[in-house]
Amino acid sequence: MTASISVGEKKQFVRWFLQSYKMKRRECIWILNYMLSNEDLLEKTHFVEEAHYCPRAMVMSSTDSKEIPFRFYKGNLMTADAEKSFHDLRLNPDEHLYIQLNFPNIPPPTLYLSVLEENPYIPEDASIDEQDRQIAEKILKESMSVFHEETIYKQIDEALDANDRDRFFELSAMLQAFKAIKKDGE
């Protein structure tokens, strides 16, 4: 777990979040406001990514997000019933709670980064999946680049076969520009 985040920082973030985003479920607003009024609960609250791996977690989404509106996880149980999760918060104030907020966060707001903690429950093989995704994206990008370049060469050959001088020069300029962009991207 990263360094401890103060209750004041968490309050500041939650207030900012509530002012900046509308939630898909109104119960999420109630829960976040309840947290603001309960410092003991807020002290045991951790804002993380991939909260579903945690023993007690909530996932809440803003209306701008494509993610699920609300989920509560406790042990092996999962529910979309926000009232049950609110009841659990009141009955178990001493248990740690991990919250994942889904909202447009690219680039990540400074307040969000100031309260975001590393999720200690993410399995090691989950991080490999992210690495695999990045490798797959790189391979796809390279494949698309090769395909695009081969397409231009094919069109140049067709222009030569058709004695289309204007098209040949147009495609040659396009190929040179593509190669320059490709070189800058390396």
Side-chain angles (χ1 to χ4, degrees), residues 7 19-20 25 32 43 78 83 91 95-96 99 122-123 129 171 175 177 185:
V7 170
Q19 290 173 354
S20 302
R25 301 264 311 263
L32 291 171
E43 186 175 334
M78 183 272 297
E83 289 182 27
L91 288 178
E95 291 182 27
H96 286 272
I99 294 182
I122 292 181
D129 290 340
L171 290 166
L175 181 63

Side-chain angles (χ1 to χ4, degrees), residues 13-163:
F13 167 70
V14 172
R15 282 188 190 113
W16 169 82
F17 184 82
L18 287 170
Q19 290 173 354
S20 302
Y21 296 97
K22 293 181 180 174
M23 304 303 289
K24 287 185 177 181
R25 301 264 311 263
R26 68 179 183 270
E27 295 92 338
C28 295
I29 297 167
W30 300 343
I31 290 169
L32 291 171
N33 277 314
Y34 175 72
M35 293 172 67
L36 282 173
S37 68
N38 188 331
E39 289 193 3
D40 293 334
L41 174 62
L42 206 51
E43 186 175 334
K44 296 199 177 288
T45 299
H46 310 278
F47 295 95
V48 298
E49 294 176 343
E50 304 295 331
H52 60 277
Y53 289 116
C54 301
R56 183 175 178 232
M58 282 186 195
V59 176
M60 302 179 196
S61 298
S62 74
T63 55
D64 302 2
S65 169
K66 293 182 174 97
E67 305 294 328
I68 55 173
F70 177 85
R71 289 291 185 273
F72 177 70
Y73 301 89
K74 186 160 185 182
N76 294 327
L77 302 175
M78 183 272 297
T79 182
D81 187 338
E83 289 182 27
K84 286 182 182 178
S85 64
F86 184 70
H87 188 66
D88 185 81
L89 287 180
R90 289 186 330 207
L91 288 178
N92 303 297
D94 295 332
E95 291 182 27
H96 286 272
L97 174 67
Y98 297 86
I99 294 182
Q100 174 182 330
L101 294 172
N102 298 319
F103 64 103
N105 59 3
I106 308 251
T110 308
L111 278 174
Y112 177 59
L113 293 176
S114 71
V115 298
L116 186 64
E117 298 181 47
E118 185 178 329
N119 186 338
Y121 296 99
I122 292 181
E124 283 187 31
D125 60 346
S127 62
I128 293 171
D129 290 340
E130 175 62 22
Q131 190 176 29
D132 290 344
R133 185 189 65 76
Q134 290 175 352
I135 290 170
E137 283 180 10
K138 183 178 179 185
I139 291 170
L140 179 61
K141 185 177 177 181
E142 289 173 3
S143 297
M144 292 299 293
S145 177
V146 167
F147 174 76
H148 188 65
E149 190 173 354
E150 287 175 354
T151 301
I152 294 173
Y153 274 119
K154 183 178 177 189
Q155 291 174 342
I156 288 173
D157 288 343
E158 290 170 358
L160 286 171
D161 291 342
N163 286 329

